[in-house]
Amino acid sequence: MTPDDTESARTRPDADFPRRAVRSFVVRAGRMTVAQDRAWRELWPRFGIEDGGDPLDLPAIFGRTAPVTLEIGFGNGESLAALSMAHPERDFLGIEVHRPGVGHLMLLAEAADLRNVRVVCHDAVEVLERRIADGSLDELLLYFPDPWPKKRHHKRRIVQPPFVELVARKLRPGGVFRLATDWQNYAQHMLATVGACRLLENESHDGGYVSRPDSRPLTRFEERGQRLGHDVWDLAFRRP
Ligand SMILES: C[S@@+](CC[C@H](N)C(=O)[O-])C[C@H]1O[C@@H](n2cnc3c(N)ncnc32)[C@H](O)[C@@H]1O
């Protein structure tokens, strides 16, 4: 998906998302495949977390106490599924608004019989604000968020000072916020905005970007970017 796709996509009535000032997404009408449709009917009870206002009891949801990684905007879930497969000792929570993508993730989770992944289909900013306890996350991943490249749309970028403060509060001491983007202008914005948060410390020794972490799975999205010659900027900030 490109940002222009995002902008030109047909939107469905925002019944699930009552009007708020500025959101980082437009809910695309994207067609659901037959398999994704089945996933929503049959697998949601296994992997899905119902919408609601109550704080999430993560140990109860996963049936154990383990380090928790949260991925915001996981797209079709490739990296979330790969991570949960590679790290059965950790728990993974994904938040995504695109329903076909959520269906795709549930199919991957079913195929690999993953026990350590759950998904919320809602605006991640609201979920973080209302449902995630402060100091409860070991890692928060924001990989290739919608870049909103046009200047008049920059206000829609999810990385804004209040969002970064919110993320920082949700991390436990020692927890890490990892970001990646293939838009240089967004990378610079991320570095300035996350770098200005006094609750977080840059993991880069020179205060800039970090090397591509081995832990970040290569997705089809990034592979396509590589073929097109796009650079990628990785960032990592720790809550001391
Ligand atoms: C450019 S895609 C990247 C997907 C994936 N991370 C990847 O690397 O392939 C950005 C995704 O973030 C989702 N998204 C944007 N804002 C969001 C929000 N506030 N809450 C949940 N998902 C969001 C979009 O629906 C979209 O699927």
Side-chain angles (χ1 to χ4, degrees):
M1 190 205 38
T2 68
D4 283 330
D5 288 336
T6 313
E7 288 172 50
S8 61
R10 277 191 310 122
T11 56
R12 70 185 166 106
D14 266 353
D16 294 345
F17 302 105
R19 285 186 74 79
R20 188 182 77 194
V22 183
R23 290 188 189 275
S24 58
F25 60 90
V26 171
V27 178
R28 292 164 279 149
R31 198 177 297 158
M32 190 93 77
T33 65
V34 172
Q36 289 162 357
D37 191 53
R38 180 189 68 80
W40 268 96
R41 278 182 285 106
E42 295 179 8
L43 302 178
W44 178 257
R46 187 160 142 201
F47 298 110
I49 297 174
E50 285 303 332
D51 211 9
D54 296 343
L56 298 178
D57 182 347
L58 295 173
I61 286 170
F62 289 104
R64 64 176 180 177
T65 300
V68 177
T69 293
L70 169 63
E71 182 173 7
I72 290 181
F74 58 74
N76 66 16
E78 271 179 301
S79 69
L80 191 59
L83 284 168
S84 46
M85 234 177 282
H87 296 283
E89 77 286 2
R90 301 177 72 92
D91 289 326
F92 293 85
L93 181 64
I95 311 179
E96 173 56 69
V97 287
H98 187 51
R99 288 175 62 87
V102 172
H104 193 267
L105 181 267
M106 291 193 285
L107 292 171
L108 296 176
E110 178 191 43
D113 194 20
L114 298 176
R115 311 285 167 96
N116 60 342
V117 65
R118 297 290 186 280
V119 56
V120 179
C121 187
H122 199 76
D123 180 350
V125 177
E126 290 185 1
V127 177
L128 272 183
E129 279 170 350
R130 298 181 190 165
R131 309 199 68 190
I132 304 287
D134 287 356
S136 62
L137 302 176
D138 291 78
E139 201 177 33
L140 194 144
L141 311 178
L142 185 65
Y143 291 157
F144 304 98
D146 294 311
W148 294 104
K150 292 180 184 166
K151 200 158 187 189
R152 69 173 194 279
H153 289 143
H154 282 185
K155 59 180 179 293
R156 281 184 169 271
R157 289 175 166 176
I158 195 166
V159 177
Q160 305 291 347
F163 172 76
V164 176
E165 293 286 323
L166 185 62
V167 167
R169 282 208 321 272
K170 303 300 161 181
L171 290 172
R172 67 162 176 76
V176 182
F177 181 24
R178 299 186 194 282
L179 309 90
T181 180
D182 58 354
W183 285 81
Q184 185 169 22
N185 171 274
Y186 200 8
Q188 290 162 345
H189 168 84
M190 287 173 173
L191 191 58
T193 309
V194 188
C197 176
R198 280 178 297 171
L199 293 174
L200 296 172
E201 278 178 5
N202 196 335
E203 287 275 271
S204 160
H205 57 275
D206 64 1
Y209 304 103
V210 295
S211 316
R212 184 184 197 289
D214 294 337
S215 61
R216 186 162 64 72
L218 185 67
T219 61
R220 268 181 292 175
F221 175 82
E222 189 177 359
E223 251 173 336
R224 186 173 141 266
Q226 284 182 344
R227 281 199 302 278
L228 295 171
H230 294 178
D231 285 325
V232 171
W233 291 267
D234 277 278
L235 300 90
F237 289 81
R238 186 175 296 273
R239 179 161 185 190

